[in-house]
Amino acid sequence: MPDPGRDQDPTAALQRVLATLSYLLTRSRAHERQAARAGVTAARSDLWLLMALEDSGGVSRVGDLADLLMVEPPHVTRQIGQLESQDLVARTPDSLDRRARKVAITPHGKAILNRLQKTSQAGLHEALAGFDDADIATTVAVLNHLVAHAREKHGRS
């Protein structure tokens, strides 16, 4: 694995660090280990959908979830069916459009998501030991800016 900090240009160094971090965090084994520590069996994509639902106030339309996840609606519809069979989400009628359905995270889904998030936060807390809150807040601001840019550029036109 290349050294992510070897470039002198700060933007190039950040790109390398982000690419390396993305690679390391998206390995199946990394998710499996983290999920096992949390006592969770849901797939990584299932947890992303649950987080998207939570970020949407716990309820969302399928199309809005697909936009947020930057995937096609049929993909989300299939995934919702799988999550519904595990009591992680529930479909509800949309009061504004009788043809549409909304998806809501269930209490069980919220509990699963919370367990995984607590385990993840504990790992981050350990990894960030020695950094002060201001440095972490600055990092969060920079990363949120990059996420917004990526969504605008690649997902929502």
Side-chain angles (χ1 to χ4, degrees):
M1 175 81 32
D3 177 9
R6 73 169 196 218
D7 296 307
Q8 296 300 317
D9 175 58
T11 302
L14 179 60
Q15 185 278 323
R16 280 188 91 73
V17 168
L18 290 174
T20 301
L21 186 60
S22 173
Y23 175 80
L24 293 171
L25 293 177
T26 58
R27 301 299 88 207
S28 292
R29 279 196 232 162
H31 169 75
E32 290 166 5
R33 280 191 299 269
Q34 185 177 26
R37 281 193 299 271
V40 171
T41 58
R44 188 175 49 232
S45 60
D46 295 340
L47 295 169
W48 275 106
L49 193 143
L50 293 175
M51 283 191 296
L53 266 174
E54 182 181 56
D55 290 346
S56 300
V59 179
S60 183
R61 293 178 67 171
V62 172
D64 294 336
L65 281 173
D67 286 346
L68 188 61
L69 297 169
M70 298 188 320
V71 297
E72 295 298 317
H75 173 77
V76 174
T77 300
R78 282 189 300 275
Q79 192 174 8
I80 288 167
Q82 294 169 346
L83 295 175
E84 194 173 33
S85 71
Q86 299 171 58
D87 188 36
L88 299 174
V89 301
R91 297 177 212 230
T92 61
D94 186 336
S95 61
L96 300 177
D97 182 352
R98 291 181 185 262
R99 298 167 297 161
R101 306 278 283 172
K102 287 190 173 184
V103 182
I105 190 168
T106 64
H108 178 61
K110 184 116 173 108
I112 293 289
L113 184 58
N114 285 339
R115 275 200 319 249
L116 186 68
Q117 288 175 328
K118 283 182 181 180
T119 300
S120 178
Q121 288 168 8
L124 272 175
H125 193 293
E126 180 182 329
L128 295 172
F131 287 93
D132 65 28
D133 288 348
D135 288 340
I136 295 169
T138 299
T139 302
V140 169
V142 169
L143 293 175
N144 276 331
H145 179 81
L146 292 174
V147 167
H149 178 74
R151 286 188 189 282
E152 181 180 313
K153 183 176 178 184
H154 299 294
R156 301 178 187 174
S157 18

